Amino acid sequence: ALSEDTVSRALEEVGQAVKPSLVAIEQGLLQSAVAHADETGMRVAGKLKWLHVLSNERLTRYGVHPKRGQQALDDLGLVPRFRGELVHDGWSAYATYSQCGHALCNAHMLRELTFLDEQYHQAWAKELKTLLLTAKAAVERAQAHGQSELDPVELRRFNHQYGAWVEAGWVLNPPPLPRVGKRRQAESPPRQLLKRLARDRHAVLAFLHDFRVPFDNNLAERDLRMMKVKQKISGCFRTDTGAELFATLRSYLSTARKHSLDMLSVLTDALLGTPFIPQLLSTPG
């Protein structure tokens, strides 16, 4: 049987060998017109840490950090330099970056609207959910016909209907009564969602205005799903070094898989000094 030290040295050797590929992955993501961001918790040496991902259809870059928010994104260094459309789930840390555009995951939005419809019996929420799904279908039809944008009349109609249903939500959910004494009056879930729908209108409807932007953030969620599977099977990482090596190698392997390459072959190539290097775009997009 292989000793743990042998396995550890092999992982470190591959980690060093794939560094040129990681540089190309990061450069490619920074050139991308659209990228997906997400994060999930992971146990490292008995403590909670976070696995962050920035990815697109062809590239994946993971990073491990003790924190989830802006400090982690700043330290990992990719999101602060990204200039395209960033697709995410609305986590407040992403909103602090103004150098890029923002597109919200509408799969999350649909779940919240369904909750308001079923638990609060908010008719506007059901109608807005239907509107988002209708808009998604319209974009897919336009793409199937080779169009790069919606008909202006149809686009204006979707925007108008969105505003109308949000306004209907405000009417149904007036502000809470003034607080009495020092006790703070919490806002209801419908008003909390309405605030985000109004404030982030452009990000919610980004897929309507730019066909390169997807309807949801499922790509990043898929890229993180293997972490949950790993934790169920083998538990946590015992060391920070092991977690960071995992992020390094998974970045390399995930990118290779997106290029339909064989995993064993790209690992062999890395150890032979010729790691797979994804081709960079000549222009952003």
Side-chain angles (χ1 to χ4, degrees):
L2 293 174
S3 70
E4 290 186 9
D5 285 344
T6 299
V7 175
S8 178
R9 286 196 298 271
L11 289 173
E12 291 175 2
E13 185 176 348
V14 178
Q16 288 293 323
V18 302
K19 282 187 175 181
S21 180
L22 298 187
V23 172
I25 290 170
E26 292 179 358
Q27 290 176 347
L29 286 170
L30 292 176
Q31 289 180 3
S32 180
V34 178
H36 297 248
D38 205 354
E39 70 291 324
T40 190
M42 59 190 297
R43 304 297 296 182
V44 180
K47 297 181 180 179
L48 176 64
K49 294 201 173 183
W50 295 88
L51 181 69
H52 295 259
V53 66
L54 187 70
S55 62
N56 61 22
E57 294 287 350
R58 305 286 283 174
L59 306 165
T60 308
R61 184 66 169 109
Y62 297 102
V64 179
H65 199 277
K67 296 186 180 297
R68 182 188 181 191
Q70 184 179 358
Q71 182 180 337
L73 299 175
D74 285 344
D75 291 345
L76 294 172
L78 285 179
V79 172
R81 294 184 287 152
F82 181 66
R83 296 292 187 273
E85 288 289 325
L86 186 67
V87 186
H88 54 85
D89 59 7
W91 174 238
S92 58
Y94 296 117
T96 61
Y97 298 99
S98 59
Q99 86 289 342
C100 63
H102 294 270
L104 292 185
C105 174
N106 280 300
H108 283 74
M109 202 63 67
L110 293 179
R111 288 195 290 269
E112 292 190 67
L113 291 169
T114 298
F115 171 77
L116 294 186
D117 174 34
E118 295 178 350
Q119 299 299 318
Y120 286 82
H121 308 292
Q122 302 261 323
W124 68 269
K126 182 178 181 179
E127 296 294 344
L128 186 54
K129 176 183 174 181
T130 300
L131 176 66
L132 289 174
L133 290 173
T134 303
K136 177 177 181 288
V139 169
E140 291 171 349
R141 283 195 304 271
Q143 290 175 315
H145 286 87
Q147 299 171 228
S148 59
E149 58 184 20
L150 283 179
D151 177 78
V153 174
E154 189 175 27
L155 182 60
R156 283 196 299 271
R157 185 173 71 251
F158 282 130
N159 276 284
H160 174 75
Q161 291 176 337
Y162 179 94
W165 288 122
V166 170
E167 184 59 32
W170 286 125
V171 172
L172 194 60
N173 298 277
L177 296 173
R179 67 182 185 180
V180 178
K182 295 183 178 180
R183 185 174 181 178
R184 182 180 177 183
Q185 182 71 29
E187 288 199 300
S188 66
R191 282 189 61 83
Q192 291 175 22
L193 180 58
L194 282 165
K195 278 189 172 181
R196 285 187 283 124
L197 288 168
R199 180 194 65 206
D200 301 328
R201 174 179 180 145
H202 180 77
V204 173
L205 299 179
F207 74 98
L208 272 178
H209 298 273
D210 186 346
F211 282 8
R212 296 173 301 180
V213 176
F215 182 77
D216 53 46
N217 196 30
N218 286 348
L219 188 148
E221 293 180 359
R222 289 196 303 271
D223 286 332
L224 288 177
R225 192 170 299 149
M226 55 80 203
M227 170 52 62
K228 296 304 183 184
V229 174
K230 182 189 185 310
Q231 289 187 106
K232 288 179 181 178
I233 296 173
S234 57
C236 68
F237 294 94
R238 288 186 290 177
T239 66
D240 291 332
T241 300
E244 290 167 2
L245 275 172
F246 174 84
T248 294
L249 297 183
R250 285 296 310 189
S251 299
Y252 177 68
L253 291 174
S254 175
T255 299
R257 186 182 295 278
K258 289 178 178 180
H259 286 76
S260 302
L261 299 177
D262 177 71
M263 299 294 93
L264 182 58
S265 296
V266 295
L267 284 174
T268 302
D269 291 342
L271 287 170
L272 292 174
T274 56
F276 160 68
I277 307 290
Q279 184 176 2
L280 298 181
L281 298 171
S282 57
T283 57

